[in-house]
DNA sequence: GAGCACTGC
């Protein structure tokens, strides 16, 4: 029966044919990496596996016996993986060292196998405790756990499970748990020494997300303090592992070769100044000179991508008419694209055609497109850099790192040998930084600082930071938290701060929610905050339908037209949730409605999930949310209620305000800088606001306020006076 | 007149 169950892995005869050279040894600087010559059709890390494993209903009726027999089939496959060959060596390092750093290239099997080796060891030695394996992304955690449960011969949630936001399959029997970084941090916030785990595996550590970096810091303080027994394995895909090793007292570094195909590099002879033009030319050249196979182009942002797609659409037919070459079919790919359009890039193309995908960084780690044989790399990406003094995010186009360039090129060698065309000179490649600047060095650290405070860290400047974000950033974070009432004058966390740290929101929004619970508009504010915490809820209409969609949005949201985007979100939520939710055929009605307004359907479903979660938390934290009379929680056009709601937001975003000038421009209250209302805002055309408040201040071509609301100038004084009174109160409380 | 990418008990 298990043999019939259509497994995705390579069949036996493929595995017999493999000749994989592999190598493992303690790492030295002059290690030579040999490339493997064959690939197994098996997704090692689950990274970027965009479609999660579609398990059939049949699986539910699989018996214990068939689960086991399937697992033993899979075992033959596992045994061919590079890490499996070195199981004993790897385990001896792990057993004899508190921390082990393991470098495993794509296809080495590290993410699925190492945790299972450790699990076997726990069984063998009858040791207690379980294993946590962290991942930066939810899909990866889910896919890995699903796969490993199959290999282990159990159902998800038995010995192997996963825990991600909104979805937890673990039970008390679970010994191996895949979870997102964020979930492990939440566990740290609740149960500070992670007593239930005996081994923690940090996967994809090279990605250096803020959350991974924080976890590394917490783990170091744990093994130096209350948990000297804890075993830690740091897994990374790049060779720059010395930093991990040094951080953990020169932990040993192991290197396991992966399985991927060779990718030939090509560079420009002279640099280009028009990157879109260069990408198009390169694609045309590939199309004329190379065998069939799809092209993946990396461009920095949506603007360049849309431009490239438009040009390519125009010239594709012309080019293929002129010579007998495949017809180029261009596709855009970026996160703000409606999911339906995103999914088009995954469909294989038929006939004498060549798929050309123009993508942002999303295709570098998060999404894998099969059939790609050629990569065209602009060498650029967009990055958000936080300016602490200004409380402003800037969006910059910058050169990528060498690691990133290699990752991009590698996308051409996942299924067969490929070619990578770098649209810059080889001499410039050598000058690129080895690694990208870690996220934490360019981020707002208010939220990390709150976590550390909640954890009980007093001296933040000298904490075991894996990457210290710097004194200035930390001090700004402390200042911000003090102003939000999360810290007292001595820098100790307040009761309010404790509550804020437990909410799954950025501190500013948490503080808005707490304020709302105090003044009695919690339910409405939760709805708005839920909308704000979902990225890409309102999609960008294409230029042709832009005016029409804007008109429709404006005509639906009477209060939003006057008061701005936060109130508009609530109006849209009310229609979606209360009005469309009632009918017989709610879901198709909702879908049509979303389409007409260019709203993400998936986005609104996420809003509902966030809302449910926040309501549960709030009930627990302030026991002040009531189920009765949901209808009355609609916003309507009640000016008094709207003012009350906006004032709640003002307590969290008092720094994000600007005052209207006689010439109808705006200047920020804090620094006097000029600021413009973002064109996506409801208030973009409205020229009569005395003041504005915004949840985000981003500098692109100029300073833009996003998620903008109208405020009265008198509110500023009112809110500041209240905050001062609260602060005073807090000081006297703590005396 | 405009939108890098992820993520949370």
């Amino acid at each position: 029966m298990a043999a019939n169950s259509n497994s995705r892995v390579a069949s036996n005869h493929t595995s017999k044919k493999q000749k994989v050279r592999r190598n493992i040894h303690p790492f030295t600087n002059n290690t030579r990496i040999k490339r493997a010559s064959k690939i197994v059709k098996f997704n090692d890390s689950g990274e970027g596996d965009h479609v999660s494993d579609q398990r059939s209903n049949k699986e539910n009726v699989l018996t214990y016996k068939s689960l086991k027999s399937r697992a033993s089939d899979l075992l033959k496959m596992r045994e061919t993986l590079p890490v499996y060959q070195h199981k004993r060596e790897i385990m001896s390092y792990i057993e004899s060292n508190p921390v082990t750093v393991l470098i495993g290239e794509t296809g080495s099997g590290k993410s699925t196998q190492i945790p299972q080796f450790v699990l076997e060891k726990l069984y063998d030695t009858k040791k207690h405790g379980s294993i946590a394996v962290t991942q930066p992304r939810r899909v990866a955690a889910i896919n890995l756990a699903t796969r490993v449960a199959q290999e282990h011969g159990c159902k998800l949630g038995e010995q192997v499970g996963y825990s991600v936001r909104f979805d937890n399959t673990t039970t008390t029997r679970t010994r191996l748990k895949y979870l997102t970084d964020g979930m492990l941090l939440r566990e740290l916030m609740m149960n500070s020494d992670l007593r239930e785990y005996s081994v923690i595996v940090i996967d994809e550590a090279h990605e250096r997300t803020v959350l991974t970096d924080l976890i590394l810091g917490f783990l170091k303080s744990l093994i130096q303090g209350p948990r000297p027994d804890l075993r830690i394995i740091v897994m990374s895909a790049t060779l720059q592992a010395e930093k991990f090793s040094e951080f953990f007292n020169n932990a040993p570094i192991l290197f396991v070769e992966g399985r991927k195909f060779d990718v030939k590099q090509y560079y420009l002879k002279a640099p280009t100044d028009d990157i879109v033009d260069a990408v198009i030319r390169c694609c045309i050249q590939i199309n004329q000179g190379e065998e069939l196979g799809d092209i993946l182009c990396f461009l920095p942002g949506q603007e360049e991508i849309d431009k490239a797609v438009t040009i390519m659409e125009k010239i594709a037919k012309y080019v293929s008419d002129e010579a007998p070459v495949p017809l180029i079919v261009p596709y855009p790919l970026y996160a703000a694209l409606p999911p339906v359009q995103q999914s088009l890039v995954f469909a294989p193309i038929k006939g004498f055609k060549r798929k050309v995908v123009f993508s942002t960084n999303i295709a570098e780690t998060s999404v894998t497109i099969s059939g790609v044989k050629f990569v065209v790399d602009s060498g650029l990406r967009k990055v958000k850099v936080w300016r602490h003094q200004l409380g402003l995010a800037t969006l910059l186009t910058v050169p990528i790192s060498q690691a990133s360039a290699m990752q991009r090129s590698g996308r051409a060698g996942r299924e067969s040998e490929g070619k990578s065309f770098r649209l810059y000179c080889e001499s410039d490649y050598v000058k690129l930084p080895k690694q990208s600047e870690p996220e934490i060095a360019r981020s707002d650290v208010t939220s990390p600082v709150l976590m550390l405070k909640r954890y009980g860290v007093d001296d933040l400047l000298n904490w075991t930071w894996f990457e210290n974000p710097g004194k200035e950033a930390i001090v700004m974070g402390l200042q911000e938290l003090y102003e939000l009432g999360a810290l007292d004058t001595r820098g100790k966390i307040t009761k309010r701060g404790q509550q804020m740290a437990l909410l799954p929101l950025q501190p500013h929004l948490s503080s808005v929610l707490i304020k709302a619970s105090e003044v009695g508009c919690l339910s409405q504010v939760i709805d708005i905050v839920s909308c704000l915490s979902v990225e890409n809820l309102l999609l960008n209409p294409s230029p042709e339908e832009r005016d029409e969609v804007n008109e429709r949005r404006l005509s639906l949201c009477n209060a939003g037209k006057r008061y701005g985007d936060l109130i508009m979100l609530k109006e849209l939520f009310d229609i979606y949730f209360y009005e469309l939710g009632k009918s017989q055929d709610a879901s198709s009605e909702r879908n049509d409605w979303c389409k007409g307004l260019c709203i993400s359907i998936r986005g609104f479903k996420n809003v509902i999930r966030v809302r449910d979660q926040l309501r549960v938390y709030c009930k627990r934290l302030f026991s002040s949310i009531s189920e009765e009379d949901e209808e009355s929680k609609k916003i309507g056009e009640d000016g008094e209620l709207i003012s009350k709601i906006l004032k709640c937001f003002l307590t969290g975003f008092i720094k994000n305000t600007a005052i209207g000038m006689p010439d109808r421009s705006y200047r920020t209250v804090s620094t006097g800088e000029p600021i413009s209302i973002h064109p996506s805002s409801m208030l973009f055309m409205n020229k009569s606001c005395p003041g504005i408040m915004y949840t985000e201040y981003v500098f692109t071509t100029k300073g833009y306020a996003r998620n903008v609301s109208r405020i009265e100038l008198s509110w500023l004084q009112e809110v500041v006076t209240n905050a001062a009174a609260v602060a005073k109160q807090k000081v006297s409380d703590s005396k």
Side-chain angles (χ1 to χ4, degrees), chain A residues 129-395:
Chain A
S130 49
I131 308 158
V133 185
T134 70
Q135 294 293 322
R137 282 170 291 279
R138 286 188 220 165
V139 267
I142 295 170
N143 289 347
L144 283 167
T146 307
R147 170 75 196 189
V148 170
Q150 285 172 1
E151 293 186 1
H152 193 74
C154 68
K155 286 188 193 163
L156 261 179
E158 287 182 346
Q159 289 80 14
V160 183
Y162 65 84
S163 167
V164 300
R165 193 181 190 184
F166 309 126
D167 194 3
N168 181 0
T169 67
T170 62
T171 60
T172 49
R173 298 178 57 199
T174 306
R175 300 289 301 274
L176 171 53
K177 175 162 153 188
Y178 285 87
L179 76 179
T180 46
D181 299 326
M183 289 304 269
L184 189 67
L185 272 169
R186 286 290 136 190
E187 291 186 11
L188 272 159
M189 294 298 100
M190 301 305 294
N191 163 25
S192 56
D193 58 10
L194 301 179
R195 195 59 66 176
E196 64 172 297
Y197 302 112
S198 52
V199 181
I200 302 215
V201 184
I202 307 299
D203 201 2
E204 312 286 358
H206 61 280
E207 288 192 26
R208 302 294 313 275
T209 67
V210 172
L211 303 186
T212 312
D213 276 13
L214 285 175
I215 288 177
L216 291 172
F218 278 115
L219 291 181
K220 183 166 180 175
S221 80
L222 278 180
I223 54 172
Q224 288 179 345
R227 290 295 312 275
D229 58 308
L230 190 63
R231 281 280 186 273
I232 296 167
I233 304 167
V234 180
M235 303 207 292
S236 160
T238 54
L239 287 177
Q240 271 94 32
E242 290 88 349
K243 193 173 161 95
F244 298 116
S245 167
E246 277 163 28
F247 182 68
F248 287 112
N249 200 20
N250 295 318
I253 303 175
L254 306 181
F255 172 75
V256 186
E257 220 173 51
R259 290 170 169 174
K260 55 190 182 192
F261 294 92
D262 272 330
V263 176
K264 219 171 174 183
Q265 290 304 337
Y266 298 87
Y267 293 91
L268 284 189
K269 289 206 177 77
T272 170
D273 52 358
D274 184 343
I275 196 65
V276 174
D277 180 72
V279 168
I280 300 269
R281 279 169 193 279
C282 186
C283 291
I284 301 287
Q285 214 175 311
I286 293 170
N287 196 44
Q288 279 165 350
E290 302 287 346
E291 59 179 315
L292 220 49
D294 298 335
I295 308 178
L296 172 61
C297 305
F298 288 98
L299 280 164
Q302 185 179 337
E303 192 188 335
E304 292 83 0
I305 289 168
D306 287 342
K307 196 169 148 195
V309 170
T310 311
I311 296 174
M312 198 55 112
E313 273 168 353
K314 279 188 191 141
I315 61 174
K317 198 172 174 315
Y318 175 73
V319 171
S320 72
D321 279 352
E322 240 179 28
V325 293
L327 177 66
I328 290 181
V329 189
Y331 295 93
L333 180 64
Y334 43 82
L337 206 64
V340 187
Q341 256 178 290
Q342 273 187 36
S343 63
L344 294 178
V345 309
F346 301 104
I349 201 153
K350 286 178 202 138
F352 193 50
K353 291 178 187 167
R354 193 191 297 270
K355 181 159 74 178
V356 178
V357 179
F358 296 98
S359 171
T360 60
N361 251 355
I362 193 170
E364 196 179 302
T365 48
S366 307
V367 144
T368 307
I369 306 159
S370 57
V372 171
K373 245 185 162 150
F374 307 99
V375 162
V376 177
D377 178 15
S378 67
L380 299 169
R381 63 170 183 151
K382 279 201 178 178
V383 11
K384 209 173 196 173
V385 179
W386 180 255
R387 294 280 152 87
H388 303 104
Q389 305 92 333
L390 300 169
L392 158 92
T394 46
L395 210 48

